[in-house]
């Protein structure tokens, strides 16, 4: 085995096989669902942090537009001012790549794991840790009795597009569901525009020299791009093994719930911070009002003492 196999593929292989071996009915699809949920829950801290960064980045778009106007084409000044703004707001411009860097190796490894399990049963003996091979469900899989179905109905070793045999409709439907969930997941993070305007109209206004809101322009362009990822998800899902399509469906479903919860918590936290800031400002103003009358009599007293001495 290569180092990649030992570090990533074999551990993921054994987690999936272990879940398969201990669940009632030994359903490979159910094991994959449980595995996907565990992976998404393990990434929760990173997901929450990324969503917070996304929300803050969305909020500071007007300030970034002002920085570009202030810099007037001076890229060095613009970069300096942007970094200062990021530092003030606690934003890491590269922080959003972290979740992708975690998910991508897992998906690539799972792709290899599914191939190893479904294409050659001998791989189960080769890759399964010795202390797990005594589990009854895993023993059956080692001897060629692997249940590679989802709920005993959908064959996850197949693909939606079958060479020479048309379309495998259950996986075609799952690919459509995966694309729909991906669209909803992307839409969930998009800012809601104050008024519905077309991108074409905004581009015409910009061409005519009229000043437009760069944040609104960015939001509209991002909204147009939100259709790209679901389309790619559908196309990829048509040619992936069924097990990986299930992974995409379950992963997006859990992500939608995670994003909803994280965004609600983020709004609550921001409201608390805002209330604390308002309280501090009020206290500071109250302290100034109290301090002013005390300071004035001292000045008068000092002036009267000077008169007496003279």
């Amino acid at each position: 085995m290569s180092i990649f196999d030992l570090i990533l593929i074999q551990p993921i292989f054994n987690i999936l096989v272990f879940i398969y071996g201990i669940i009632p009915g030994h359903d490979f699809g159910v094991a994959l669902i449980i595995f996907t949920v565990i992976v998404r829950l393990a990434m929760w801290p990173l997901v929450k942090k990324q969503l917070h960064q996304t929300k803050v980045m969305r909020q500071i778009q007007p300030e970034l537009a002002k920085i570009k106007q202030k810099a007037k084409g001076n890229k060095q000044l613009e970069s300096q001012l942007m970094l200062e703004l990021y530092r003030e707001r606690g934003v890491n411009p590269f922080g959003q790549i972290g979740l992708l860097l975690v998910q991508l190796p897992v998906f690539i490894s799972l792709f290899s794991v599914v191939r190893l399990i479904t294409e050659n049963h001998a791989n189960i003996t080769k890759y399964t840790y010795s202390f797990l091979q005594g589990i009854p469900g895993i023993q059956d899989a080692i001897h060629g009795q692997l249940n590679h179905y989802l709920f005993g109905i959908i064959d996850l070793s197949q693909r939606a597009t079958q060479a020479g045999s048309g379309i495998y409709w259950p996986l075609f439907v799952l690919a459509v569901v995966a694309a729909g969930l991906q669209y909803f997941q992307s839409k969930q993070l998009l800012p809601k525009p104050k008024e519905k305007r077309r991108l074409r109209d905004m581009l015409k206004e910009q061409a005519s020299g009229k000043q437009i809101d760069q944040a609104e322009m960015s939001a509209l362009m991002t909204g147009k791009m939100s259709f790209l990822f679901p389309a790619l998800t559908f196309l990829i899902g048509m040619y992936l093994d069924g097990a990986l399509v299930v992974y995409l469906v379950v992963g997006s479903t859990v992500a939608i719930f995670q994003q909803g919860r994280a965004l609600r918590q983020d709004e609550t936290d921001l409201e608390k911070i805002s209330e604390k800031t308002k309280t501090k400002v009020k206290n500071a103003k109250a302290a100034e009002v109290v301090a002013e009358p005390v300071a004035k009599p001292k000045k008068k007293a000092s002036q009267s003492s000077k008169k007496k001495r003279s």
Side-chain angles (χ1 to χ4, degrees):
M1 293 186 192
S2 65
I3 296 176
F4 185 77
D5 289 345
L6 291 171
I7 294 175
L8 282 174
I9 293 180
Q10 193 173 18
I12 290 176
F13 186 100
N14 280 272
I15 293 171
L16 188 55
V17 167
F18 173 72
I19 296 170
Y20 170 85
I22 63 173
I23 60 174
H26 308 302
D27 188 301
F28 184 62
V30 174
L32 189 59
I33 290 172
I34 295 171
F35 170 81
T36 308
V37 172
I38 291 172
V39 169
R40 290 297 308 187
L41 291 177
M43 290 191 294
W44 168 247
L46 191 58
V47 170
K48 188 176 180 181
K49 185 176 180 181
Q50 185 202 29
L51 290 173
H52 176 74
Q53 297 271 318
T54 301
K55 190 167 184 177
V56 175
M57 283 293 293
R58 200 164 66 195
Q59 290 174 340
I60 64 175
Q61 287 303 312
E63 295 180 56
L64 291 174
K66 290 178 182 178
I67 286 174
K68 287 184 179 181
Q69 291 177 356
K70 185 177 180 180
K72 297 180 180 179
N74 187 337
K75 295 298 181 182
Q76 186 176 356
L77 177 61
E78 183 179 331
S79 300
Q80 183 181 350
L81 293 173
M82 286 174 67
L83 287 174
E84 288 177 1
L85 178 62
Y86 290 152
R87 197 179 300 112
E88 288 175 6
R89 296 301 185 90
V91 175
N92 181 4
F94 305 103
Q96 299 185 33
I97 304 174
L99 190 60
L100 178 63
L101 293 177
V102 172
Q103 288 189 89
L104 193 59
V106 172
F107 185 78
I108 294 172
S109 301
L110 188 61
F111 179 82
S112 302
V113 167
V114 169
R115 287 291 183 86
L116 290 170
I117 291 176
T118 57
E119 290 186 357
N120 189 350
H121 295 300
N123 289 323
I124 299 176
T125 306
K126 180 181 177 182
Y127 281 84
T128 304
Y129 297 137
S130 58
F131 61 87
L132 295 179
Q133 293 184 10
I135 298 174
I138 298 178
Q139 281 186 345
D140 294 339
I142 289 172
H143 291 94
Q145 298 176 11
L146 176 70
N147 177 17
H148 47 72
Y149 283 78
L150 172 62
F151 305 132
I153 301 172
I154 304 176
D155 187 355
L156 299 183
S157 65
Q158 301 295 322
R159 297 181 181 181
T161 303
Q162 300 286 331
S165 58
I167 295 175
Y168 184 47
W169 288 104
L171 290 182
F172 177 86
V173 172
L174 280 181
V176 172
V177 171
L181 290 170
Q182 177 64 52
Y183 172 75
F184 188 79
Q185 183 183 348
S186 302
K187 200 76 173 175
Q188 197 177 24
L189 297 176
L190 292 178
K192 294 179 181 179
K194 297 178 182 178
E195 54 181 280
K196 293 183 178 180
R197 299 177 64 189
R198 293 187 304 176
L199 182 61
R200 185 190 308 170
D201 297 334
M202 294 188 69
L203 291 173
K204 285 181 180 178
E205 291 177 7
Q206 190 177 36
S208 63
K210 187 177 179 181
Q211 189 70 23
I212 62 172
D213 188 352
Q214 293 297 324
E216 188 180 2
M217 169 74 82
S218 177
L220 279 172
M221 293 183 70
T222 306
K224 296 295 182 183
M225 290 293 290
S226 66
F227 292 96
L228 177 61
F229 292 110
L232 289 174
T233 299
F234 173 73
L235 291 174
I236 293 171
M238 291 293 291
Y239 295 95
L240 285 176
D241 292 334
L244 295 171
V245 181
V246 171
Y247 176 81
L248 292 175
V249 169
V250 179
S252 291
T253 303
V254 178
I256 288 168
F257 284 102
Q258 286 182 322
Q259 287 178 179
R261 182 181 176 185
L263 291 173
R264 283 194 300 271
Q265 285 183 347
D266 206 34
E267 286 177 1
T268 304
D269 292 341
L270 288 173
E271 286 175 3
K272 289 180 180 178
I273 292 169
S274 178
E275 288 297 325
K276 287 180 180 179
T277 305
K278 288 178 181 178
T279 305
K280 287 180 179 179
V281 171
K282 287 181 180 178
N283 292 337
K285 287 182 178 179
E288 289 176 3
V289 171
V290 172
E292 281 178 2
V294 176
K296 288 177 181 178
K298 288 184 178 179
K299 291 181 180 179
K300 290 180 180 179
S302 60
Q303 288 175 1
S304 60
S305 61
K306 285 180 180 179
K307 288 179 181 180
K308 287 180 182 179
R309 289 177 183 176
S310 61

